[in-house]
């Protein structure tokens, strides 16, 4: 089956999908959305003008949550089997995009493409504080388990991409969250991380 992912390497939504595709071992062409000759094609595929966009034999999908559901329907291997665990996986995916994303966005948008002398340290500190406030819930949801649900699943892909982008911009998980730190180290050791990281 032929699929193409229109992608921006540092986009957390795209990285989540790249991780899913790598973990599911689905052979997909990865196309930078601004690659020569591709931008107009990508624009025709999405009314939102965002990435990721996945072209599939069933049509183009231009919302990452819809891509996730499609890949689950296709493979049945993406979400946990138990209904309660599926709810947890979906909730954590949303939590990653909203609560974890909110703090990181402040830091990344402030630091990206700006010389350090021009950084607004107040905005950066506010972002880090928001990020840190979102961590106790995740530490509690993880508990002593290897994964957030019984096996590697959607929360792993969503949170790995967010945490790794944060780390790239100097935001790390504080020592008071040891289980989360160990979990993140395990995620970075997986082949899918090396295969999909943008740098
Ligand atoms: N709700 C969308 C959000 C996607 C999104 O915001 N993508 C950003 C990059 S992270 C984007 O495409 N921005 C336009 C651009 O970078 O040109 C989804 O989940 O797919």
């Amino acid at each position: 089956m032929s699929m193409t992912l229109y992608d921006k390497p540092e986009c957390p939504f795209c990285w989540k999908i790249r991780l899913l595709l790598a973990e599911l071992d689905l052979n997909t062409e990865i196309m930078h959305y601004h690659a020569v000759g591709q931008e107009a094609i990508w624009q025709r595929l999405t009314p939102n003008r965002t990435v990721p966009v996945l072209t599939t034999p069933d049509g183009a999908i231009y919302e990452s949550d819809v891509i996730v559901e499609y890949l689950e329907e296709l493979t049945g291997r993406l979400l946990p089997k138990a209904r309660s665990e599926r709810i947890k996986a979906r909730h954590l995916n949303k939590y990653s995009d909203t609560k974890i994303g909110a703090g990181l966005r402040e830091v990344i948008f402030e630091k990206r493409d700006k010389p350090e002398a021009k950084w607004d340290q107040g905005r950066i500190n506010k972002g880090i504080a928001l990020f840190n406030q979102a961590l106790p819930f995740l530490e509690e949801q993880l508990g002593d388990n290897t994964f957030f649900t019984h096996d590697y699943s959607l929360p792993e892909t969503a949170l790995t991409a967010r945490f790794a982008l944060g780390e790239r911009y100097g935001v790390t998980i504080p020592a008071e969250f040891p289980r989360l730190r160990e979990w993140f180290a395990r995620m970075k050791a997986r082949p899918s991380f090396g295969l999909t990281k943008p740098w």
Side-chain angles (χ1 to χ4, degrees):
M1 183 173 65
S2 157
M3 297 199 292
T4 300
L5 180 71
Y6 284 85
D7 175 67
K8 177 179 172 180
E10 276 212 15
C11 160
F13 303 96
C14 296
W15 196 356
K16 167 168 56 183
I17 302 300
R18 291 200 306 276
L19 278 168
L20 284 174
L21 293 168
E23 289 281 343
L24 293 168
D25 205 16
L26 286 175
N27 192 12
T28 309
E29 183 185 18
I30 308 284
M31 180 68 70
H32 194 292
Y33 74 136
H34 283 170
V36 177
Q38 292 299 321
E39 197 171 343
I41 298 172
W42 159 72
Q43 283 185 358
R44 280 197 294 276
L45 296 172
T46 163
N48 295 346
R49 301 286 193 269
T50 57
V51 278
V53 174
L54 185 70
T55 66
T56 79
D58 302 300
I61 312 176
Y62 52 80
E63 269 293 335
S64 63
D65 283 348
V66 185
I67 296 174
V68 166
E69 294 303 325
Y70 179 78
L71 294 178
E72 169 60 13
E73 278 184 31
L74 204 63
T75 65
R77 290 189 287 127
L78 193 159
L79 291 172
K81 293 281 166 270
R83 268 201 298 273
S84 61
E85 293 256 286
R86 292 163 83 86
I87 293 170
K88 182 177 180 185
R90 288 182 170 112
H91 274 153
L92 287 170
N93 176 49
K94 274 287 155 205
Y95 193 83
S96 175
D97 286 347
T98 55
K99 296 288 181 192
I100 298 294
L104 291 179
R105 249 189 314 275
E106 294 298 318
V107 180
I108 293 171
F109 287 2
E110 188 55 35
K111 287 189 173 180
R112 202 169 56 188
D113 307 327
K114 255 194 211 176
E116 194 168 342
K118 296 211 166 143
W119 289 351
D120 174 350
Q121 201 55 50
R123 186 182 182 195
I124 291 169
N125 292 343
K126 186 179 150 226
I128 292 172
L130 274 177
F131 174 77
N132 288 341
Q133 279 162 27
L135 297 180
F137 174 70
L138 290 182
E139 180 89 347
E140 178 262 309
Q141 290 282 296
L142 180 62
D144 290 322
N145 303 309
T146 308
F147 303 109
F148 282 91
T149 58
H150 87 283
D151 206 348
Y152 187 101
S153 175
L154 180 58
E156 272 67 38
T157 66
L159 289 163
T160 298
R162 294 279 174 188
F163 284 164
L165 286 167
E167 193 170 65
R168 182 76 172 171
Y169 286 88
V171 184
T172 53
I173 304 169
E176 66 199 270
F177 305 105
R179 291 179 295 195
L180 220 38
R181 280 162 70 111
E182 283 163 24
W183 168 89
F184 186 41
R186 286 196 297 279
M187 294 307 112
K188 286 192 287 186
R190 291 175 78 89
S192 62
F193 187 82
L195 286 169
T196 60
K197 68 178 179 187
W199 43 78

